[in-house]
């Protein structure tokens, strides 16, 4: 069988793989990207509601979760959000800040994929889709990669096959299996940036208000996010919930401050003086839509009576629930709808400068397959660009 010789093979034509390939190609390396999907960059295309939140102006290592929070620093500081923004501008792609530094394409995520493919083309990178990877073996001078399209040989092998989220889009555990094959360890993986499902009794009440969104501060395990929370027919979603899902572990209770700008204890004290004759629902409806008010009353089993008929203890409990509603999710929607995968290839065995496995010469891991996970807001793509760039300089 004839062997196709390349300097670099990148497995995975997603954000990290395409970007790394273009960078390596610029250095004159003969690069081929292999992907099992029909189309490249499928997650980019559906990201940010089709407009791709491609980076965040405030991206810093603090926005990433990893067993080693220092690992991402090197790549993020050498290829920053400003570098990627400059590239987007060079291609004349119109973009805007939506909120909190999150940059989105004005038109379509297709602009980002087209830019990555143009960069690959200029660097003579070959991109081959519909390719199954059958076997990878180390050879004396690099790697043999046996595929459904033939046998390849390369000096450097870059794994950019992403995480487990959205199996419908072609996510596979390939990267973790390959890492294990070469003796690297995997930090346990878990769905993140994912909606919560609720226990039956909460779900029955809250499904009634599906579509209602409210500004909250959601917290768990000493971390919290102030953004919108959305009630869905399955449970809870919206940015604050997706963010906190990355910090939540099964069995944990969420604390949700439903009126983050107010001290609920002062508020009920005020009601006792000024709104004595008002029904509780009337007082609450100053803050919440009517449907949410009745759901809260039902779920907390609050009677709807005039404020003057509540004892101080009862009012204190109501105040607690408003500022610190304790809600125990049943679980998450899992990889089916998660935006990212927490955990992955352990950073302890990778060089933070090059992304190469320290003990396996020529084998690199970039992007989401690595145990570096960003918050919601463009951080995950920035990690794909930064880690892809770092490897692209040396492969
Ligand atoms: C719905 C959704 C919306 C998102 N929105 C945003 C957003 O707006 N901003 C943001 O920063 N992040 C967003 N993310 C997260 C972001 O898409 C990922 O973190 C990012 O795509 C990871 O890049 P990657 O290159 O590591 O992996 P991917 O982009 O997942 O690419 C991996 C590639 O590897 C290929 N592959 C997998 N297994 C194999 C195999 N066995 N053989 C060959 N090829 C294989 C896949 O087909 C894919 O092309 C979103 C994710 C989802 C699911």
């Amino acid at each position: 069988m004839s062997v196709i010789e390349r300097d670099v093979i990148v497995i995975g034509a997603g954000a990290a793989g395409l970007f790394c390939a273009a960078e390596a190609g610029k250095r004159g390396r003969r690069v081929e990207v292999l992907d099992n999907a029909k189309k490249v960059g499928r997650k980019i295309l559906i990201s940010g509601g089709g407009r791709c939140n491609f980076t965040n102006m405030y991206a810093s290592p603090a926005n990433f979760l990893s067993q080693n929070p220092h690992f991402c620093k090197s790549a993020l500081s050498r290829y920053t959000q400003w570098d990627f923004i400059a590239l987007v501008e060079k291609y004349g792609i119109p973009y805007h800040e939506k909120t909190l530094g999150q940059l989105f394409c004005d038109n379509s995520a297709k602009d980002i994929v087209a830019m990555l493919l143009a960069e690959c083309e200029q660097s003579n990178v070959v991109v081959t889709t519909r390719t199954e990877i059958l076997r990878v073996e180390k050879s004396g001078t690099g790697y043999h990669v046996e595929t459904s399209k033939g046998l390849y040989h390369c000096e450097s092998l870059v794994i950019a096959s992403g995480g487990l989220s959205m199996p419908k889009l072609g996510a596979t555990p390939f990267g973790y299996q390959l890492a294990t094959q070469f003796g690297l360890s995997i930090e346990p993986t878990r769905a993140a940036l994912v909606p919560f499902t609720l226990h039956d009794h909460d779900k029955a009440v809250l499904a009634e208000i599906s579509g209602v969104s409210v500004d909250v501060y959601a917290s768990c395990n000493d971390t919290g996010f102030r953004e919108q929370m959305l009630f869905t027919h399955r449970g809870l979603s919206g940015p604050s919930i997706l963010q906190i899902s990355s910090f939540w572990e099964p069995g944990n209770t969420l604390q949700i401050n439903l009126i983050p700008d107010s001290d609920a204890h002062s508020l009920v004290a005020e009601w006792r003086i000024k709104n004595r004759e008002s029904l509780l629902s009337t007082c609450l409806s100053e803050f919440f839509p009517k449907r949410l008010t009745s759901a809260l009353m039902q779920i907390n089993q609050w009677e709807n009576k005039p404020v003057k008929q509540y004892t101080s203890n009862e009012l204190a409990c109501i105040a607690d629930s408003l500022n610190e509603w304790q809600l125990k999710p049943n679980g998450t929607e899992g990889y089916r709808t998660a935006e990212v995968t927490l955990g992955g290839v352990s950073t302890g065995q990778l060089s933070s400068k090059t992304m190469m496995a320290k003990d396996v010469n020529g084998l690199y891991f970039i992007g989401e397959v690595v145990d570096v996970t960003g918050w919601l807001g463009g951080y995950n793509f920035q990690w794909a660009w930064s880690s892809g760039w770092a490897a692209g300089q040396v492969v």
Side-chain angles (χ1 to χ4, degrees):
M1 194 198 286
S2 67
V3 178
I4 308 164
E5 279 293 338
R6 298 282 181 249
D7 296 325
V8 182
I9 293 279
V10 178
I11 298 179
L18 290 173
F19 197 65
C20 173
E23 284 297 314
K26 280 183 202 166
R27 295 172 34 241
R29 302 288 275 163
R30 289 170 306 159
V31 186
E32 183 154 347
V33 187
L34 305 175
D35 200 298
N36 61 356
K38 287 185 211 151
K39 250 167 92 172
V40 303
R42 290 213 291 178
K43 275 198 188 155
I44 303 175
L45 292 171
I46 59 153
S47 68
R51 290 220 162 89
C52 185
N53 176 194
F54 55 81
T55 194
N56 192 295
M57 292 200 289
Y58 309 121
S60 86
N63 307 114
F64 294 85
L65 287 87
S66 171
Q67 284 303 312
N68 175 4
H70 303 292
F71 181 81
C72 62
K73 288 182 178 171
S74 172
L76 289 174
S77 69
R78 285 182 302 134
Y79 189 85
T80 69
Q81 57 271 42
W82 305 111
D83 295 315
F84 193 77
I85 293 165
L87 182 66
V88 167
E89 287 179 355
K90 186 176 133 193
Y91 275 79
I93 297 173
Y95 67 90
H96 60 279
E97 180 190 359
K98 195 167 170 193
T99 173
L100 304 168
Q102 301 166 6
L103 301 186
F104 286 74
C105 296
D106 284 357
N107 299 326
S108 164
K110 286 181 191 161
D111 290 350
I112 299 292
V113 174
M115 178 185 85
L116 294 172
L117 288 176
E119 286 283 288
C120 283
E121 202 181 319
Q122 279 164 38
S123 312
N124 298 314
V125 171
V126 181
V127 180
T128 309
T129 52
R130 300 173 191 257
T131 307
E132 297 299 326
I133 312 298
L134 305 173
R135 207 147 55 99
V136 175
E137 267 176 14
K138 187 126 180 60
S139 73
T141 50
Y143 294 86
H144 276 122
V145 181
E146 195 183 322
T147 77
S148 55
K149 296 267 170 78
L151 180 63
Y152 287 82
H153 180 262
C154 60
E155 252 175 51
S156 300
L157 179 62
V158 182
I159 308 303
S161 53
L164 296 169
S165 60
M166 300 234 167
K168 266 195 185 162
L169 288 184
T172 72
F174 175 84
Y176 310 127
Q177 288 163 353
L178 193 101
T180 309
Q181 179 190 334
F182 285 95
L184 279 79
S185 52
I186 308 295
E187 298 299 342
T189 56
R190 173 155 68 78
L193 300 183
V194 62
F196 285 117
T197 55
L198 298 173
H199 289 287
D200 286 347
H201 55 280
D202 292 329
K203 190 175 156 189
V205 177
L206 296 174
E208 294 285 312
I209 54 168
S210 147
V212 171
S213 179
V214 58
D215 175 27
V216 303
Y217 181 82
S219 56
C220 187
N221 292 323
D222 302 325
T223 308
F225 293 90
R226 168 92 188 253
E227 279 187 77
Q228 292 290 310
M229 172 173 80
L230 173 72
F231 294 92
T232 71
H233 58 279
R234 284 194 216 98
L236 296 178
S237 188
S240 66
I241 291 299
L242 298 181
Q243 296 280 31
I244 205 63
S245 73
S246 300
F247 297 83
W248 178 87
E249 286 178 31
N252 288 165
T253 297
L254 301 176
Q255 285 81 44
I256 299 170
N257 187 343
L258 293 160
I259 46 171
D261 289 323
S262 309
D263 170 16
H265 285 272
S266 313
L267 190 75
V268 295
E270 208 179 294
W271 290 348
R272 292 191 80 183
I273 300 163
K274 294 191 190 153
N275 303 74
R276 290 180 53 72
E277 306 296 333
S278 304
L279 291 173
L280 179 63
S281 62
T282 311
C283 296
L284 291 174
S285 59
E286 199 186 310
F287 295 91
F288 308 118
K290 211 170 163 192
R291 286 162 71 206
L292 176 54
T293 299
S294 39
L296 285 175
M297 301 211 30
Q298 202 181 329
I299 216 156
N300 289 295
Q301 295 175 331
W302 295 331
E303 270 182 77
N304 196 15
K305 53 188 184 183
V307 170
K308 66 179 182 194
Q309 290 180 17
Y310 285 93
T311 65
S312 341
N313 269 351
E314 283 170 337
L315 283 174
C317 284
I318 291 171
D320 284 343
S321 301
L322 292 175
N323 271 159
E324 218 173 88
W325 183 27
Q326 308 280 329
L327 190 65
K328 196 171 182 174
N330 183 21
T332 72
E333 289 187 7
Y335 292 119
R336 190 178 60 80
T337 59
E339 284 200 9
V340 284
T341 303
L342 265 179
V345 178
S346 174
T347 58
Q349 291 147 310
L350 302 178
S351 154
S352 60
K353 189 156 183 260
T354 64
M355 310 302 293
M356 190 177 87
K358 287 175 187 162
D359 296 330
V360 194
N361 200 30
L363 181 63
Y364 298 77
F365 291 86
I366 57 171
E368 199 181 313
V369 73
V370 178
D371 171 34
V372 173
T373 309
W375 292 4
L376 183 80
Y379 304 100
N380 284 295
F381 279 134
Q382 187 55 44
W383 171 245
W385 318 135
S386 297
S387 60
W389 183 91
Q393 309 313 304
V394 293
V395 288

